[in-house]
Amino acid sequence: MEPDATYTVRPDLRTFTHAGCRVTVVDAARILATVDGQRVELLSGAAFPSPVRGVSVTLTRDDADVYLDASIRTGTTPGEVKPVTVLGNDPIGVFLSRRVDAGDVWATRLVDGVGAVIANVSRRLDPSEDAPEPAPEPPAPAEASVRDETSGLTATARTAERTVVLRAEVPAAELSVDHLEGFCRLVLDAVAEATGPDALSGRTVTVSATSGGPDRVTLDQVGGLDDIVNQLREIAASFRHPQALARWGAQRPQGALFYGPPGTGKTMLARALANEIGARFREIRTTEILDKWLGASERNIKQIFRDARRYSEPTVMLFDEFDTIIGYAGEGGDAASQAINSVAGIFKQEMTSLVDANPNVFVVATTNFPERIDPSLIRSGRFDVKLAVPAPDATGRAQILAKMIRQLIVEHEVPGFRMFADDVDIAECATLSQGLTGADLKEVLRRVQLAKAMREARTGTPAPAISQEDLRTQITAVRAAQAPARRPPPGFPFLGRPT
C-alpha cells in the first residue's frame, strides 16, 4: 500500500501568555478530535517551581460531554517516608533517596528496613511512643467555582490533602479550542497560587498530547500499528472502569505477550500502555532475576511477585526479552537448565494467582523469539493477549516518520531556528526506507541531527534546515549498515540458509 502523500510534519502551534508564562498549544484541533473515544493526557512531564510536585491534565469523553480534569500536587505526599531523614544527608543517604524516588525496589526495601529498626529502637528507649496520640481528623475538602473570563469556561476547584483538583464539563458538540486554552489558564492560576505570583514569569509550557519525552510516550504516538493500539486501548479502559467489569463478573486480561522482530517498538508499546492507564511502569531486568548462586534466582522471582502483590497503584510490569529470563522448560539436564526450569515453574505459579491477589498489576512480556518460550508459560490465564508486532509497511513507516519529526519540531524549534525544511517528503522517505523498523527510522533522524550539529560546530555558522536530500542520504546509509546484520551467518542453517 502506497503511503498518503498528504502527511504533514509541521504542527499547528497556538501561543498565548498567562500569569507570565508562555504557553504553546500543539495541534489543538487534533487534540479535540482525538478525545473522541479515548482519554488524552496533556502536560505530561511538565516541570513547575516548588512546592508544586506534579501537574496532570486530561480530557475524557462520554456520550454527550467532554470532561477536562487537572490535578496539581504540592508539598510531600502524606505518609511519605523521606530516606534522607532516616539515613542522614551523607552521600549514601542522598544516593538511596534518589534511588527510592526513581522506583528502585531494592533501595526501597533497604530504607524501609532501616526505618523499621530505628522505630523499634526508639520505642525501646521511650516506651511512651508505643501509644502515639491519635492523628487529627483531616480537614474537609474545600470546593469552589472558578471561571476563565476569556472563554467563559467554568470549572469546579476542589482542594484536599495538598492537591488541587479542577474539573470542567463541556457538551461535546460545543467543545472548542477556546475551551482548551481557557482550562489551561485556570490550571496556571492554580499553579501560580501555590508557587507565588511571579514564579511562572519567563517560563514556557507546551500543551501537547505527545509531551513529556521518551518515558511519556502515548498510544497516540504509535504509528503503523492501529489494530494493536486499539486492543491496548481496550485494556486501558478495563483499568479505568472496574465497576463495569464487576457488574458483569468479567475479568480483564492479566498479561500480554508482544513478539516480533527487533526494533518494532515492543518496549515502547508497554510504556505507552502504562501511560494510557495512568499506571506506574516497572521494568524487570534479567540481572534482577538470574543469579549464579544456587537458589538465588528462585528467591528473586518470588520476591518480585511478592512486591507486585503489595502495589497499591496500577502498575505495568515489563519482562523485556522474556526468552532470556525464562527459557524453554524441560530442555537439558544440567544444573543451569534445572535452574531455568525451576524459575519457569515459579513464574507459572505466581502468574496464575497474581490477578486475584492484586488486580492493579498488568504483566507484559516481550520477545524476538517466541518459539524459545515454553507454551505453558504464555497460555491463556497467564498471558491472555498475544500480539505480533511486525515491521512497519510503507504506510506505517510514513506515520512513524511524521510523528517523530513533528515531535522534534515541537521540542526543538524556536523563533529564529527552523529544524526541517519545507521540501521534506514523508511519502518518498517511507518508500525509500523499505525494510526498516521504527528503531531504524529513529536512527536515521539521529544521524541527520548529529550531522547538522557537527557541521555547525566545525564551521561556527548555523547549518541549514534538514532537507529531503539529507534524509535520503541517511536512509541509504542506515539500510547499508543494517544489511549485513540481517544476512544469516554461515553455519546456521536454521536461520534461513539453504541446507
Side-chain angles (χ1 to χ4, degrees), residues 2 98 219 221 261 392 400 452:
E2 287 297 320
R98 290 175 179 170
L219 290 177
Q221 289 175 267
I400 292 169
K452 290 293 182 180

Side-chain angles (χ1 to χ4, degrees), residues 79-104:
E80 182 179 13
V81 177
K82 286 301 222 177
V84 170
T85 62
V86 173
L87 301 173
N89 289 316
D90 56 277
I92 294 178
V94 173
F95 171 76
L96 287 174
S97 175
R98 290 175 179 170
R99 293 311 306 155
V100 170
D101 291 340
D104 189 311

Side-chain angles (χ1 to χ4, degrees), residues 191-469:
V191 171
E193 187 172 342
T195 60
D198 299 324
L200 297 180
S201 181
R203 287 182 172 264
T204 59
V205 171
T206 300
V207 179
S208 168
T210 59
S211 60
D215 290 341
R216 296 301 308 177
V217 62
T218 64
L219 290 177
D220 187 53
Q221 289 175 267
V222 178
L225 299 171
D226 292 344
D227 291 341
I228 292 176
V229 167
N230 289 335
Q231 292 187 62
L232 296 184
R233 291 199 197 283
E234 289 290 323
I235 294 172
S238 71
F239 269 87
R240 294 197 299 271
H241 302 286
Q243 67 282 357
L245 274 68
R247 179 185 177 192
W248 289 92
Q251 189 178 72
R252 61 164 177 76
Q254 175 174 344
L257 176 72
F258 300 157
Y259 62 94
T264 52
K266 298 182 288 296
T267 302
M268 177 192 67
L269 285 171
R271 289 188 179 275
L273 173 62
N275 291 328
E276 186 77 10
I277 294 172
R280 189 170 75 107
F281 184 75
R282 167 86 166 92
E283 183 174 356
I284 311 298
R285 302 182 184 276
T286 307
T287 53
E288 293 184 50
I289 299 178
L290 301 185
D291 196 300
K292 66 179 180 178
W293 301 109
L294 183 64
S297 299
E298 293 88 333
R299 286 194 298 271
N300 291 342
I301 192 71
K302 285 182 180 179
Q303 186 62 56
I304 286 169
F305 278 96
R306 193 176 297 123
D307 291 338
R309 283 170 166 75
R310 296 202 300 260
Y311 292 154
S312 60
E313 59 181 333
T315 302
V316 172
M317 289 175 59
L318 171 66
F319 290 86
D320 207 3
E321 298 182 350
F322 192 52
D323 53 285
T324 67
I325 300 174
I326 310 290
Y328 199 105
E331 283 191 346
D334 58 5
S337 296
Q338 290 176 14
I340 288 175
N341 289 342
S342 181
V343 170
I346 294 171
F347 188 92
K348 294 177 191 178
Q349 297 169 7
E350 298 287 354
M351 275 292 293
T352 301
S353 60
L354 179 60
V355 71
D356 293 327
N358 190 352
N360 281 323
V361 179
F362 188 81
V363 179
V364 175
T366 67
T367 180
N368 302 328
F369 307 101
E371 69 280 359
R372 297 183 183 177
I373 301 174
D374 188 336
S376 67
L377 281 164
I378 56 176
R379 67 162 173 80
S380 298
R382 292 178 181 135
F383 290 94
D384 305 293
V385 178
K386 302 173 186 66
L387 298 175
V389 186
D393 58 11
T395 300
R397 292 192 300 275
Q399 292 177 358
I400 292 169
L401 269 173
K403 291 181 178 183
M404 285 181 176
I405 292 176
R406 290 171 67 85
Q407 186 65 19
L408 288 173
I409 290 174
V410 170
E411 292 177 353
H412 298 289
E413 281 200 357
V414 294
F417 172 66
R418 195 174 180 87
M419 193 170 190
F420 288 87
D422 290 333
D423 69 339
V424 170
D425 186 340
I426 294 295
E428 182 189 9
C429 289
T431 302
L432 292 173
S433 58
Q434 182 177 1
L436 298 188
T437 65
D440 296 330
L441 296 175
K442 187 175 182 179
E443 173 64 9
V444 168
L445 293 176
R446 187 197 69 82
R447 291 188 179 203
V448 75
Q449 289 173 261
L450 181 61
K452 290 293 182 180
M454 294 310 298
R455 174 176 173 177
E456 191 166 304
R458 287 192 303 268
T459 63
T461 57
I466 297 170
S467 66
Q468 181 68 7
E469 184 58 34

